Amino acid sequence: MHRIIKEFVKGLWAELPPFRVLLGLCPTLAVTSSAENGLGMGVAVVAVLTLSNLIVSALRKIIPPKVRIACFIVIAASLVVAVELLMQAYAYPLYQKLGIFVPLIVVNCLILGRAEAFASKNGMLVSVADALGMGIGFTLSLTFLGAFREVLGVGTVFGFPVLWQSFEPAGLMVMAPGAFIALGFILAGMNALGKCLSRKREVVPARLDSTCSQCGACGFQAEK
């Protein structure tokens, strides 16, 4: 259970796909002109990633090593077709907004990367935990980036006004250059926060016995 929780949690911060390990940047930059688009793409990726990891983990012992990448792509492609058809049936306006980037989930490096690096080497439960953590982290990242761009570019979040009436939107933020600008600010903030959290803490050595003398190993002078 401890390992399952560990594999799930890592995708929420330590290995956050777009902002920490920089995976899946193509849809991250392309579809996040609004929070709704980011959330929709994230949910689609969660579904494909979770089922892909589950199937790859279940079949890992019978997939020939020489054709494993081709097998992973076939599995991902089958799942993406199913997700695409479901979106066309139940969320067609969102499907139209996401466009070609829904089929391109097949070659998303996050999907193939987790299948190759994790699911093909681990059991089904931990593979599903890994996929859910990575997928939810990816979804939150895209939604946050989309909301950030939407607020600055339009003044709304999920279509609801959140800023004062006199606010002048920066239309650049919902255009292609705005995606790179917003991503740069977020990466800078994440790096600064990461450095702050990982700052070396002073380790105060335990009080040594008075009979101990400085040997140079720890650099601590015993109190006399």
Side-chain angles (χ1 to χ4, degrees), residues 11 39-40 77 128 132 140:
L39 179 60
V128 169
L132 286 174
L140 294 176

Side-chain angles (χ1 to χ4, degrees), residues 156-219:
T156 63
V157 174
F158 289 104
F160 297 99
V162 294
L163 297 177
W164 53 95
Q165 293 182 350
S166 60
F167 173 74
E168 292 291 338
L172 177 68
M173 295 305 297
V174 292
M175 300 172 64
F180 289 93
I181 294 172
L183 180 64
F185 277 114
I186 292 175
L187 289 179
M190 292 286 290
N191 289 338
L193 183 59
K195 287 182 180 180
C196 181
L197 294 176
S198 63
R199 184 180 299 170
K200 292 181 180 180
R201 299 177 181 178
E202 278 190 37
V203 179
V204 180
R207 183 180 293 273
L208 300 180
D209 187 79
S210 58
T211 58
C212 178
S213 60
Q214 185 176 9
C215 64
C218 65

